[in-house]
Amino acid sequence: MNWEVVLLTAYVLVWPVIVTGTLFVIVRAFIKDSREAKREGRQII
């Protein structure tokens, strides 16, 4: 098997994991801020 194929395959398989992790961090921070704003009685925006 060619190293170029192996690296390209690894890149294609790892990319969704990186995107999912980033999205998870953003959503978790948004939920935290939303709950804090609700508790303080203020709007998020």
Side-chain angles (χ1 to χ4, degrees):
M1 219 171 154
N2 186 339
W3 274 108
E4 185 178 328
V5 173
V6 172
L7 291 175
L8 184 59
T9 302
Y11 176 77
V12 168
L13 293 176
V14 169
W15 183 248
V17 175
I18 294 170
V19 171
T20 302
T22 303
L23 185 61
F24 174 75
V25 169
I26 292 171
V27 169
R28 187 176 65 177
F30 176 78
I31 290 171
K32 179 181 174 242
D33 287 347
S34 176
R35 288 180 179 168
E36 186 177 320
K38 187 174 182 180
R39 185 179 61 229
E40 294 176 358
R42 62 179 171 82
Q43 292 183 348
I44 295 174
I45 300 174

